[in-house]
C-alpha cells in the first residue's frame, strides 16, 4: 500500500526483486530433502579438496626438504673432494626440482674442490648468469678466481657480493669462506652474522671450523687453536675427510703454539696421528692424503711420508695437494735428481706451483740457465696475477751466473704495476716487491709483517734468500730458522726453509753463496 501511494505520487518505490540469497532460502524451504543431499555432496567435495591441498602441500614440503638435504650433501661431498658422490647428490637435487642456477653452482663447487679450476669457472660463470642476485654464486666465483690467480676478479666478486648482502644460509657460508681466503677475521665476522638457524647447519659448522683453523695458523696462539678444536668437536660429521683434515691442521697448530711444553706438544702430535689413521679410509681423496702427509712431515717420519705420497699418486689423478712433500723430503736428503723428477711429475705445467719448485731444484743441480728460464715464466704468470712481489725473491737464488738482475727486475715491476697489486694483508705483496727491489730493509719488512705468522714466515724466508745472494750464509741460516719457527707448516716458504736448513752447512750446496772471508 505504501509503495502504491509512492507510485501514484510519482515517488520512487522501495520494493526490490528478490536477490540470489532470498531466492535460495525460498528454494530450500520448498525442497528440504534435495537440499540435504546437495549439502552432503558439497561437504564431501570440500573435504576432498582440502585433503588434496594438504597432501600436495605436505608433498611439496617433503620434496623441498629432500632437495635441501641433497644440496647439503652435494656441498659436503664437493668440499671433501668426493666428486663422484657430489655429482650423484646434484643429480638427485635436479630430480627434486632444484633450479638450473643452483645446479651449475654445485657443479662448479665440485670442480673447484677437485682442483679443476677452469672447469669450475665455466659452471660458476653460467650460474652467475642464471642467478645474478645470489651472493653464494659470486662468493664461489671469487674463490675460483683466487685459485686461478685472478686476484682482481676475486676482489671484484667480493665487492659485488658484499653490495648484495648475504641472505640465504649458502650466501653466508660461501661468502665467509671467500673472505677468509685473505682475511680469516672477516670471514668469521660474516659467518657469525648469519641467522642462528643457518649457523647450526652441518655445513656452516664445518666452514666455521675451517676458518677458525686458518685464523689460528695466522695468529699462532694456543687459545685460537683450542677454539678451532672446539669448533671441530661441534661438527657432527665424524667420517667427513675434510673435517678430519682440518682436525689434523688444528692439532698441529696447537702443538706448535703450546710452546716449550714437550709433553703437551707430544699429546697433540699423538692425537694428530690418531686422526691420520682415520684418514686412511679415503685412499683416493687428495685432501685425506694431504692430511696424513702433514702429520708425518710434522713428526719427522719421512719414510712413511714418501710412501703415503707414492701410494696416493696411484689413486689420484691430480696430486698437487700433497706431492710437494715428496720433493721437499728429497731435497732435504740432497737427492736433487729425484726431487726434480718429482717436481716435473706435476700435472699443471703452467702454474707457479709447477715452475718454481723445478727452478729451485735446478739451482741446486747447478743448472742456473734453465732455472732462470722457468723463473721468468713464473714471473710472467705472477705479474698477470698482480702478486709478483713474492716470486721475485726466488731470483736471488740464481747467484752471480744469472743473466737478470733480480733487484732491477723488481724495480721495473714496481714502477709498471705496483698500483695493480691488491691491497691485501695490509699491502703485504707490495711490501715484498719493495723489499725485493731494494727499497725496504730487513727491519722494515719484519715490522710490516706485524703479528701475522703467515707474513712472518714469508718475510723471514725472503730475507734469507737475500742473505744467501750476499754470501752471508750464517745470517741466511738464522732467517730460515726464524721462518721455520713460525710453525706455518702448510706454506711453501716454511717447507723450503726447512729444506735449505738441511743443506746450508754443506759447502757444495750453492757454492757461489759461500761466505767470503
Amino acid at each position: 500500500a505504501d509503495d502504491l501511494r509512492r507510485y501514484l505520487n510519482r515517488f520512487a518505490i522501495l520494493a526490490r526483486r528478490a536477490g540470489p540469497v532470498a531466492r535460495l532460502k525460498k528454494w530450500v524451504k520448498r525442497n528440504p530433502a534435495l537440499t540435504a543431499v546437495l549439502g552432503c555432496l558439497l561437504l564431501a567435495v570440500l573435504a576432498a579438496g582440502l585433503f588434496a591441498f594438504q597432501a600436495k602441500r605436505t608433498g611439496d614440503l617433503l620434496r623441498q626438504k629432500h632437495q635441501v638435504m641433497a644440496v647439503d650433501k652435494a656441498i659436503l661431498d664437493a668440499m671433501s673432494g668426493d666428486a663422484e658422490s657430489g655429482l650423484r647428490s646434484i643429480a638427485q637435487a635436479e630430480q627434486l626440482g632444484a633450479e638450473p642456477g643452483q645446479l651449475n653452482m654445485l657443479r662448479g663447487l665440485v670442480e673447484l674442490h677437485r682442483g679443476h679450476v677452469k672447469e669450475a669457472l665455466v659452471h660458476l660463470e653460467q650460474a652467475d648468469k642464471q642467478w645474478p642476485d645470489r651472493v653464494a654464486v659470486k662468493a664461489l666465483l671469487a674463490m675460483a678466481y683466487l685459485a686461478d690467480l685472478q686476484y682482481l676478479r676475486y676482489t671484484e666478486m667480493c665487492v659485488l657480493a658484499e653490495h648484495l648482502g648475504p641472505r640465504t644460509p649458502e650466501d653466508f657460508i660461501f661468502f665467509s669462506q671467500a673472505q677468509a681466503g685473505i682475511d680469516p677475521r672477516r670471514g668469521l665476522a660474516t659467518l657469525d652474522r648469519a641467522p642462528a638457524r643457518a649457523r647450526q647447519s652441518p655445513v656452516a659448522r664445518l666452514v666455521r671450523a675451517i676458518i677458525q683453523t686458518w685464523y689460528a695458523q695466522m695468529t699462532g696462539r694456543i687459545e685460537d687453536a683450542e677454539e678451532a678444536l672446539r669448533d671441530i668437536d661441534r661438527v657432527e660429521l665424524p667420517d667427513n675427510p675434510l673435517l678430519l683434515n682440518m682436525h689434523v691442521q688444528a692439532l698441529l697448530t696447537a702443538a706448535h703454539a703450546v710452546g716449550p711444553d714437550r709433553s703437551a706438544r707430544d699429546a697433540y702430535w699423538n692425537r694428530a696421528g690418531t686422526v691420520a689413521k682415520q684418514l686412511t679410509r679415503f685412499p683416493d681423496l687428495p685432501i685425506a692424503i694431504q692430511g696424513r702427509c702433514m702429520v708425518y712431515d710434522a713428526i719427522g717420519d719421512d719414510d712413511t711420508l714418501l710412501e703415503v705420497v707414492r701410494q696416493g699418486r696411484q689413486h689420484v689423478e691430480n696430486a698437487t695437494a700433497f706431492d710437494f712433500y715428496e720433493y721437499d723430503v728429497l731435497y732435504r736428503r740432497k737427492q736433487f735428481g729425484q726431487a726434480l723428477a718429482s717436481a716435473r711429475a706435476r700435472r699443471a705445467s703452467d702454474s707457479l706451483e709447477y715452475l718454481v719448485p723445478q727452478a729451485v731444484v735446478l739451482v741446486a743441480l747447478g743448472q742456473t740457465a734453465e732455472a732462470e728460464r722457468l723463473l721468468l715464466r713464473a714471473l710472467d704468470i705472477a705479474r698477470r696475477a698482480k702478486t709478483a712481489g713474492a716470486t721475485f725473491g726466488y731470483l736471488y737464488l740464481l747467484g752471480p751466473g744469472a743473466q737478470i738482475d733480480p733487484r732491477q727486475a723488481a724495480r721495473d715491476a714496481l714502477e709498471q704495476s705496483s698500483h695493480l697489486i691488491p691491497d691485501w694483508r695490509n699491502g703485504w705483496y707490495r711490501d715484498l716487491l719493495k723489499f725485493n727491489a731494494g727499497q725496504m730493509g730487513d727491519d722494515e719488512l719484519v715490522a710490516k709483517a706485524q703479528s701475522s705468522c703467515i707474513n712472518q714466515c714469508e718475510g723471514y724466508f725472503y730475507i734469507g734468500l737475500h742473505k744467501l745472494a750476499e754470501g752471508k750464509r750464517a745470517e741466511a741460516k738464522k732467517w730460515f730458522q726464524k721462518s721455520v719457527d713460525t710453525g706455518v707448516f702448510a706454506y711453501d716458504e716454511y717447507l723450503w726453509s726447512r729444506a735449505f736448513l738441511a743443506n746450508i752447512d754443506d759447502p757444495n750446496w750453492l757454492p757461489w753463496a759461500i761466505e767470503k772471508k
Side-chain angles (χ1 to χ4, degrees):
D2 291 335
D3 268 351
L4 286 174
R5 291 191 191 92
R6 293 187 185 96
Y7 178 75
L8 292 174
N9 290 319
R10 305 189 182 208
F11 294 154
I13 64 174
L14 299 181
R16 295 288 182 270
R17 183 185 300 275
V21 176
R23 291 199 298 273
L24 179 62
K25 288 180 179 178
K26 293 177 181 179
W27 188 88
V28 168
K29 288 181 180 180
R30 291 195 299 269
N31 303 280
L34 185 57
T35 297
V37 173
L38 292 175
C40 291
L41 288 174
L42 179 61
L43 288 174
V45 170
L46 289 174
L50 180 61
F51 178 79
F53 173 77
Q54 289 178 337
K56 183 179 182 303
R57 185 182 179 190
T58 301
D60 290 343
L61 290 174
L62 186 61
R63 190 179 303 106
Q64 185 178 11
K65 180 180 178 181
H66 288 163
Q67 179 184 321
V68 170
M69 291 172 62
V71 169
D72 284 349
K73 187 175 186 307
I75 291 173
L76 288 171
D77 290 339
M79 292 175 66
S80 301
D82 190 349
E84 292 184 6
S85 182
L87 291 174
R88 285 196 298 269
S89 297
I90 292 171
Q92 183 182 1
E94 185 174 14
Q95 292 175 354
L96 293 169
E99 297 183 48
Q102 188 177 31
L103 296 171
N104 272 317
M105 180 188 77
L106 293 172
R107 293 185 185 109
L109 180 66
V110 168
E111 297 300 335
L112 182 61
H113 284 276
R114 289 173 76 178
H116 300 169
V117 180
K118 300 296 184 185
E119 293 87 341
L121 285 171
V122 171
H123 289 297
L124 292 172
E125 287 171 351
Q126 181 63 29
D128 194 40
K129 294 176 182 177
Q130 296 166 321
W131 268 11
D133 297 328
R134 291 298 178 110
V135 170
V137 175
K138 286 181 168 50
L140 284 175
L141 257 178
M143 292 162 63
Y145 286 135
L146 185 63
D148 198 42
L149 304 183
Q150 298 187 49
Y151 294 116
L152 294 182
R153 298 296 302 277
Y154 162 84
T155 302
E156 175 188 345
M157 281 298 151
C158 283
V159 170
L160 289 174
E162 192 163 8
H163 177 72
L164 288 171
R167 298 184 299 275
T168 67
E170 288 82 7
D171 289 347
F172 282 100
I173 289 168
F174 292 133
F175 185 43
S176 65
Q177 203 171 4
Q179 290 178 311
I182 300 301
D183 187 351
R185 288 168 296 192
R186 291 189 65 190
L188 288 171
T190 295
L191 193 58
D192 289 343
R193 290 202 313 270
R197 187 174 180 182
R199 293 199 305 271
Q200 301 308 314
S201 73
V203 179
R205 287 183 171 179
L206 174 61
V207 169
R208 195 184 197 289
I210 292 170
I211 299 175
Q212 180 62 37
T213 301
W214 292 347
Y215 181 64
Q217 291 173 0
M218 185 184 76
T219 65
R221 297 185 307 201
I222 184 60
E223 54 266 32
D224 294 325
E226 286 290 352
E227 179 64 25
L229 291 170
R230 285 192 290 272
D231 281 341
I232 289 168
D233 288 340
R234 296 187 188 104
V235 184
E236 297 177 356
L237 298 168
D239 296 324
N240 184 278
L242 176 57
L243 180 66
L244 294 173
N245 178 288
M246 300 315 299
H247 199 176
V248 163
Q249 294 196 40
L251 287 167
L252 295 181
T253 301
H256 179 267
V258 76
D261 187 344
R262 183 59 186 265
S263 61
R265 184 165 65 251
D266 289 346
Y268 285 121
W269 279 350
N270 290 335
R271 289 170 61 186
T274 301
V275 179
K277 291 179 182 177
Q278 294 177 267
L279 286 169
T280 58
R281 300 200 302 268
F282 310 98
D284 56 347
L285 293 185
I287 200 166
I289 301 168
Q290 181 199 55
R292 296 172 65 197
C293 288
M294 287 179 179
V295 174
Y296 297 124
D297 181 70
I299 64 178
D301 189 351
D302 291 342
D303 291 333
T304 303
L305 190 155
L306 290 175
E307 184 61 27
V308 169
V309 172
R310 288 164 184 165
Q311 288 180 0
R313 279 205 176 117
Q314 297 175 10
H315 296 280
V316 176
E317 175 189 358
N318 183 3
T320 307
F322 57 84
D323 61 1
F324 191 102
Y325 292 98
E326 180 182 50
Y327 52 80
D328 177 65
V329 170
L330 296 173
Y331 195 103
R332 283 191 273 116
R333 291 180 170 182
K334 299 180 176 60
Q335 297 173 345
F336 301 124
Q338 295 181 43
L340 182 62
S342 173
R344 285 176 170 169
R346 296 195 125 191
R347 188 174 70 96
S349 59
D350 289 324
S351 67
L352 297 177
E353 294 84 357
Y354 177 79
L355 297 169
V356 172
Q358 285 189 69
V360 173
V361 179
L362 285 166
V363 169
L365 290 169
Q367 301 178 32
T368 304
E370 178 65 11
E372 184 173 359
R373 186 183 67 81
L374 293 180
L375 284 178
L376 290 177
R377 281 177 59 191
L379 279 173
D380 184 57
I381 295 172
R383 283 193 190 97
R384 284 185 273 121
K386 309 299 184 292
T387 57
T391 312
F392 275 100
Y394 287 95
L395 291 175
Y396 285 87
L397 269 177
L398 297 174
Q403 298 297 313
I404 188 171
D405 179 2
R407 184 168 296 187
Q408 186 59 50
R411 286 174 181 168
D412 293 341
L414 193 60
E415 292 176 3
Q416 296 167 10
S417 59
S418 175
H419 62 289
L420 297 176
I421 296 177
D423 192 25
W424 297 340
R425 288 156 60 181
N426 297 319
W428 178 246
Y429 285 119
R430 194 176 295 109
D431 292 333
L432 282 178
L433 185 56
K434 290 179 180 178
F435 174 73
N436 287 320
Q439 297 182 8
M440 183 182 294
D442 302 348
D443 293 340
E444 189 175 358
L445 183 66
V446 171
K448 291 287 187 180
Q450 299 179 349
S451 59
S452 169
C453 289
I454 295 172
N455 288 0
Q456 292 170 4
C457 177
E458 293 177 341
Y460 298 154
F461 171 73
Y462 291 112
I463 293 173
L465 293 184
H466 281 234
K467 298 304 180 186
L468 273 181
E470 295 169 4
K472 299 177 180 178
R473 209 173 181 98
E475 289 190 41
K477 181 177 181 179
K478 179 189 73 173
W479 288 105
F480 291 142
Q481 185 62 56
K482 287 171 72 71
S483 180
V484 170
D485 290 342
T486 62
V488 186
F489 54 86
Y491 268 60
D492 291 356
E493 288 81 2
Y494 170 89
L495 294 171
W496 280 131
S497 292
R498 285 204 328 169
F500 292 172
L501 284 171
N503 289 274
I504 203 163
D505 292 328
D506 182 356
N508 295 316
W509 179 75
L510 306 185
W512 55 264
I514 295 296
E515 193 161 356
K516 300 173 180 58
K517 300 292 185 180

